[in-house]
């Protein structure tokens, strides 16, 4: 049992998933009090199961006590002690599906017509959002702060802004997580019958449940960019393990961190949704590359400290 389900070798020694119960559920006195029909540990204790990631054995089992002569249990019983360690510190609730197999809307005439701007002062979206940020108070002009050197940051040169995007948004409800815990997404993208380029996820805090058109376009709190997916591929981003991989038909699962980045091609900052408020998740991609059968699935997982 303590060996887990993962065979050692090829990087599989990082630990396994451990499912446990936070308390011993109360078994009802009679049928129907917990759920229709006979009650089981799964149906009566559905709310108390948690999962720990990357769990491994820290100290081998040792026998603490031997019990013999039990009338109901012939033979010898042994009380055993052992220690486990979890590589990920959070206890995870079961995943909740927010949206499954959602397709992008069909193209509109606006997707075919690009309006060009010849204004030399025109800013892109990132520049407009930066210009809206409040400026700091002016300090002593005779004693300016020291100028720090600009540090180089890695970026994704394959990421570019397409002429037109198509977008679909899904709501993450307020009761998806308690206020004292946080929420992380599990994303799945299927490219369908064509390649998919310049995919972008944005998460917007939406405490008043406003539609996307009424939200400040600069108010997103997390952004994920995926530069490319081949035809028939499925990308999975697991925020609980912080792993990204692509599945292609007839091929082995492939790590895909190199095609995923944060805002403006910068390193990815894994999204964490907090404060127990509703969010709006909006997924867009290059309109010219979205196949009719391309789809997105979003699940959320509550993390408890």
């Amino acid at each position: 049992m303590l060996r887990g389900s993962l065979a050692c070798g090829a990087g599989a020694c990082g630990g396994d998933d451990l499912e446990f119960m936070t308390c011993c559920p109360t078994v009802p006195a009679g049928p129907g009090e917990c759920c229709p029909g006979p009650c089981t540990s799964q149906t009566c204790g559905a709310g108390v199961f948690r999962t720990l990631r990357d769990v491994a054995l820290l100290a081998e089992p040792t026998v603490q006590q031997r019990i013999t002569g039990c009338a109901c249990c012939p033979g010898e019983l042994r009380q055993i002690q052992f220690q486990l360690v979890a590589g990920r510190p959070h206890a995870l609730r079961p995943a909740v599906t927010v949206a499954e197999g959602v397709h992008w809307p069909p193209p509109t005439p606006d997707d075919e017509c690009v309006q060009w701007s010849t204004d030399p002062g025109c800013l892109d979206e990132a520049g407009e959002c930066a210009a809206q940020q409040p400026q700091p108070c002016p300090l002593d002009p005779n004693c300016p702060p020291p100028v720090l050197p600009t540090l180089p940051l890695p970026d994704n040169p394959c990421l570019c802004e397409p002429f037109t995007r198509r977008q679909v948004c899904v709501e993450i409800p307020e009761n998806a997580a308690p206020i004292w815990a946080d929420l992380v997404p599990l994303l799945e993208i299927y490219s369908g019958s064509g390649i998919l380029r310049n995919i972008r996820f944005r998460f917007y805090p939406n405490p008043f449940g406003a539609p996307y058109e009424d939200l400040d376009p600069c108010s997103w709190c997390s952004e994920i960019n995926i530069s490319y997916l081949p035809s028939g591929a499925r990308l999975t981003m697991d925020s609980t393990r912080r792993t990204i991989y692509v599945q292609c038909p007839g091929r082995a699962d492939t790590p895909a961190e190199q095609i995923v980045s944060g805002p403006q091609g910068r390193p990815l900052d894994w999204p964490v949704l907090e404060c127990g408020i509703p969010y709006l998740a909006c997924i867009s991609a290059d309109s010219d590359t979205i196949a009719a059968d391309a789809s997105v699935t979003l699940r959320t997982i509550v993390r408890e400290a």
Side-chain angles (χ1 to χ4, degrees):
M1 180 64 69
L2 293 179
R3 290 192 187 101
S5 60
L6 298 178
C8 200
C13 294
D16 202 353
D17 288 355
L18 170 68
E19 188 177 43
F20 67 98
M21 304 179 78
T22 58
C23 63
C24 189
T26 302
V27 179
E33 296 184 15
C34 167
C35 54
C39 292
T40 65
S41 61
Q42 293 292 331
T43 55
C44 293
V48 300
F49 281 94
R50 300 292 186 270
T51 300
L52 290 173
R53 301 287 197 217
D54 300 341
V55 176
L57 190 65
L58 189 64
E60 64 183 7
T62 57
V63 177
Q64 301 293 304
Q65 184 180 2
R66 299 175 186 269
I67 304 173
T68 57
C70 178
C72 60
C73 306
E76 182 183 76
L77 299 180
R78 299 180 182 181
Q79 180 179 339
I80 297 176
Q81 176 177 298
F82 53 89
Q83 293 183 19
L84 300 172
V85 61
R88 302 288 176 181
H90 298 95
L92 307 174
R93 295 189 183 185
V96 175
T97 300
V98 176
E100 186 169 13
V102 175
H103 298 281
W104 277 272
T108 64
D110 292 338
D111 296 328
E112 307 296 332
C113 181
V114 178
Q115 297 182 359
W116 298 96
S117 174
T118 58
D119 181 3
C122 180
L123 299 174
D124 59 11
E125 182 185 28
E128 291 178 354
C129 291
Q132 294 180 18
Q133 297 299 319
Q135 299 300 314
C137 293
L139 300 179
D140 186 353
N142 298 321
C143 186
V147 178
L148 299 177
T150 302
L151 299 178
L153 291 175
D155 59 6
N156 183 359
C158 297
L159 187 68
C160 62
E161 182 62 26
F163 287 143
T164 56
R165 288 183 174 273
R166 267 188 279 156
Q167 179 169 268
V168 60
C169 296
V170 295
E171 295 181 1
I172 300 176
E174 180 178 8
N175 58 358
I179 193 171
W180 46 266
D182 59 33
L183 198 70
V184 294
L186 194 156
L187 309 174
E188 296 179 7
I189 311 168
Y190 175 57
S191 61
S193 55
I195 64 173
L196 197 57
R197 291 187 182 275
N198 299 307
I199 310 154
R200 184 176 71 194
F201 282 83
R202 282 182 172 175
F203 295 92
Y204 294 86
N206 193 17
F208 302 109
Y212 172 76
E213 293 76 14
D214 294 343
L215 294 177
D216 180 356
C218 301
S219 65
W220 50 268
C221 61
S222 182
E223 178 179 296
I224 303 168
N225 291 285
I226 302 159
S227 56
Y228 173 85
L229 269 184
S231 175
R234 188 179 302 274
L235 179 140
T236 301
M237 288 188 60
D238 187 345
S239 297
T240 64
R241 292 184 173 91
R242 297 201 167 186
T243 57
I244 308 168
Y245 60 90
V246 172
Q247 299 168 303
C248 292
R251 295 178 179 268
D253 294 353
T254 305
E257 287 79 3
Q258 68 271 21
I259 64 172
V260 180
S261 57
Q264 304 178 56
R266 300 305 186 189
L268 173 67
D269 188 10
W270 288 88
V272 177
L273 311 181
E274 301 174 308
C275 299
I277 61 174
Y279 285 79
L280 200 64
C282 293
I283 308 99
S284 65
D286 189 337
S287 181
D288 291 338
T289 66
I290 301 176
D293 55 346
S295 64
V296 177
T297 295
L298 171 62
R299 296 182 175 89
T300 57
I301 299 177
V302 174
R303 301 191 312 179
E304 298 177 354

